[in-house]
Amino acid sequence: MRSLGGKRDARPPLVSPTLWLLGLSLLPILSSQGLSQAVAERRLENGLWQLESQHLTLVTDIVPDAEIRAMPTLFEHALLAWTQFLPPPGEITDKVQVTAYLMADRQRFVELNLLDPDDNFFRHGYQFENRIFLSEQPSAYYRRHLFLHEGTHWFLWRFFSGNGPPWFSEGLCEWLGTHRWNGQDLTLGIMPLTADEVPYWGRLRMIRDDLKQHQAPDLTEIMRYTTTAHRVDNPYAWSWAAVYFFANHPRYRGNFQRLIQAPLEDSPATTQRFKEQLVDDWPVVFREWKLFIDELDYGYAAAAFTDLGSSPSPPQRPVKLDIQADRGWQSTGILCLPQQKIAIQASGEVSVRAARPAEREPEWLSQPQGLTLEYYRQHPLGSLVATVVPWPGQPGKPIKMHDSWERWCVGQENHWTSTDGGWLLLRVNEAPGGLHDNAGSYQVIIEPR
Ligand SMILES: [Zn+2]
């Protein structure tokens, strides 16, 4: 989270010069990216530790270990990464300075006049101007995550004069907080491959829990979050998902990048401006979002995004198309009418798994009926599967986030009658995390009857 606004009185200086104690050590660190950072470490008279790099001063009551000693270096890497994700309108000079407080015992920081009692309301992290406050976390990953989250708030405040509306602000900070770090290289905005990679992150679990309990917000509800929504955890997960979606979707990422411009006002008007750019596409966006959430999981690859393109229309004649093996749902362009009869024929061969020489595993090739070696959502891996997406103006229930749209196996040939009608989509059946090594396409002929 970040300051909700309002100026406070200037704080006392972080550490008075008389508090410097001895024991200065300089640890030069050179990253693989050529970032040279020296981290200076001191024990202060008040018992706290202080670590400094070019742009960060970290003050903590935790005895520094290798992870904590690496935090200033992490910050310098993050600074570079933020400038790439969020090109700042100004330069980053040595005058850019941030102080972060990592606190096991928050009360101690209050007593030392480092944390204002009025600010001691936050749950985990808090940014106010050039200061970041972090409560100690149960995993090194999640400590860094919180640091990068609050750091992103700071970067937006410092270079974009604001953070934008809550869904955008918290979503962006969550997105750029989710990271991979090996002590030398930092990657922001990742989709974790497994839960073990991001201990205590839990965003996907929160989304699944809300879906299971029929409490999942739709995209419009997320974009209407107020400044109080993020007092509980799950809106962080949904805001993250919304930003991940817009920042990575092949058709909307340009709109999303254009949204990141100073001043980033915390106002519904900012969201409204963004939505107005997509207004003609909104029914499509809404359905692509639903399909995204339905499949969102560890390892979700960019290729899995559904890009439905333009709105569908009723079929007049047979349609021939290729369904790519390395993508998620693909539009047939066909709007089935209620009680419409459709025949689908498919042929060809695709690769659903590249050869793995180290494991002596050959390439897995599949035809439209699929491989019964593995199943995904009850259908064979590599099978041609179909779904019908409700479309405005057609009968059927309103779209609920927790309803899964039926999918069925088309195989090599399928005759089928659409009950309510809707937008016909096809894909090669595989979990979204497995699409990256696929290749080839099935040739499909769809005939209205
Ligand atoms: Zn935040």
Side-chain angles (χ1 to χ4, degrees):
M1 69 178 295
R2 63 182 291 267
S3 160
L4 301 180
K7 280 266 176 195
R8 286 172 182 74
D9 295 330
R11 306 280 172 70
L14 153 66
V15 178
S16 91
T18 55
L19 287 181
W20 296 129
L21 200 77
L22 319 166
L24 171 75
S25 63
L26 277 175
L27 313 166
I29 295 166
L30 185 68
S31 84
S32 61
Q33 292 170 310
L35 261 180
S36 176
Q37 296 304 331
V39 176
E41 182 176 328
R42 298 180 176 94
R43 183 81 191 266
L44 306 176
E45 272 185 4
N46 59 14
L48 303 180
W49 282 265
Q50 177 163 302
L51 299 106
E52 277 182 298
S53 61
Q54 189 179 356
H55 299 98
L56 182 87
T57 302
L58 175 73
V59 178
T60 182
D61 58 345
I62 303 168
V63 181
D65 60 6
E67 272 286 344
I68 289 174
R69 289 195 172 105
M71 284 175 75
T73 307
L74 175 73
F75 185 84
E76 302 299 334
H77 282 257
L79 204 48
L80 193 68
W82 288 323
T83 62
Q84 286 157 3
F85 278 96
L86 313 165
E91 259 187 65
I92 298 185
T93 65
D94 280 357
K95 285 186 183 157
V96 172
Q97 291 292 327
V98 180
T99 304
Y101 301 90
L102 173 64
M103 307 174 289
D105 174 6
R106 270 155 70 156
Q107 191 52 34
R108 188 170 172 190
F109 286 76
V110 172
E111 286 161 11
L112 289 169
N113 287 328
L114 298 173
L115 173 60
D116 190 308
D118 288 347
D119 289 344
N120 195 15
F121 62 91
F122 58 89
R123 289 191 304 146
H124 300 292
Y126 173 62
Q127 171 260 330
F128 181 72
E129 296 182 347
N130 288 314
R131 276 162 288 197
I132 291 171
F133 299 89
L134 310 164
S135 279
E136 173 60 333
Q137 297 299 313
S139 75
Y141 170 81
Y142 202 66
R143 181 202 287 144
R144 292 192 305 266
H145 182 99
L146 184 65
F147 183 38
L148 294 169
H149 176 113
E150 298 303 333
T152 309
H153 278 311
W154 162 78
F155 192 85
L156 291 172
W157 167 80
R158 178 69 177 71
F159 292 103
F160 293 85
S161 311
N163 265 243
W167 73 272
F168 172 85
S169 166
E170 297 306 338
L172 192 76
C173 293
E174 277 300 295
W175 178 47
L176 298 184
T178 309
H179 69 280
R180 200 165 282 135
W181 166 246
N182 62 8
Q184 291 197 320
D185 295 305
L186 175 68
T187 312
L188 302 185
I190 66 156
M191 178 61 75
L193 296 175
T194 63
D196 292 345
E197 193 182 6
V198 286
Y200 292 90
W201 178 69
R203 303 302 184 246
L204 291 170
R205 178 186 49 73
M206 292 174 202
I207 288 174
R208 284 198 210 107
D209 285 351
D210 278 351
L211 286 167
K212 210 181 294 171
Q213 290 163 21
H214 296 192
Q215 288 178 346
D218 68 31
L219 191 52
T220 317
E221 290 169 301
I222 295 165
M223 294 171 86
R224 275 203 303 255
Y225 279 148
T226 65
T227 48
T228 56
H230 295 84
R231 287 178 183 170
V232 290
D233 287 337
N234 291 26
Y236 284 95
W238 288 105
S239 302
W240 162 75
V243 165
Y244 189 87
F245 175 78
F246 284 124
N248 288 289
H249 193 286
R251 220 141 40 89
Y252 311 125
R253 59 187 171 212
N255 299 80
F256 187 78
Q257 276 159 10
R258 283 191 289 281
L259 178 61
I260 305 168
Q261 276 180 17
L264 266 172
E265 284 172 50
D266 174 6
S267 149
T270 308
T271 302
Q272 197 50 36
R273 264 202 315 280
F274 178 62
K275 282 181 79 175
E276 275 164 14
Q277 294 178 50
L278 306 175
V279 70
D280 294 339
D281 278 337
W282 199 253
V284 177
V285 177
F286 199 84
R287 284 153 181 79
E288 288 170 339
W289 165 256
K290 166 85 176 76
L291 293 165
F292 165 69
I293 290 300
D294 191 47
E295 299 246 290
L296 187 55
D297 203 352
Y298 290 102
Y300 187 100
F305 276 103
T306 299
D307 182 355
L308 292 176
S310 50
S311 304
S313 51
Q316 309 293 341
R317 59 185 79 81
V319 172
K320 278 187 184 182
L321 45 95
D322 287 347
I323 297 298
Q324 308 294 330
D326 60 356
R327 290 177 48 202
W329 288 109
Q330 293 154 61
S331 171
T332 61
I334 291 175
L335 180 64
C336 299
L337 303 172
Q339 301 307 317
Q340 172 110 51
K341 289 185 169 59
I342 294 275
I344 306 177
Q345 284 187 314
S347 60
E349 191 170 69
V350 300
S351 171
V352 288
R353 187 164 299 172
R356 297 173 180 177
E359 296 156 40
R360 295 172 177 243
E361 280 269 5
E363 182 183 20
W364 287 14
L365 297 172
S366 175
Q367 294 176 351
Q369 67 272 26
L371 303 170
T372 51
L373 291 164
E374 267 187 35
Y375 281 74
Y376 173 59
R377 298 214 168 177
Q378 287 89 49
H379 300 301
L381 175 68
S383 56
L384 182 71
V385 289
T387 191
V388 169
V389 171
W391 189 243
Q394 294 199 310
K397 297 178 291 180
I399 295 175
K400 297 275 184 213
M401 291 305 296
H402 55 261
D403 286 337
S404 265
W405 292 326
E406 187 194 357
R407 63 175 76 191
W408 71 95
C409 186
V410 170
Q412 291 177 315
E413 189 164 359
N414 189 255
H415 296 259
W416 152 84
T417 303
S418 168
T419 313
D420 292 329
W423 192 341
L424 177 64
L425 312 181
L426 297 171
R427 67 179 295 175
V428 175
N429 192 44
E430 187 167 9
L435 299 176
H436 59 94
D437 63 352
N438 292 3
S441 60
Y442 292 140
Q443 291 74 55
V444 177
I445 301 171
I446 307 168
E447 279 186 79
R449 292 285 171 89

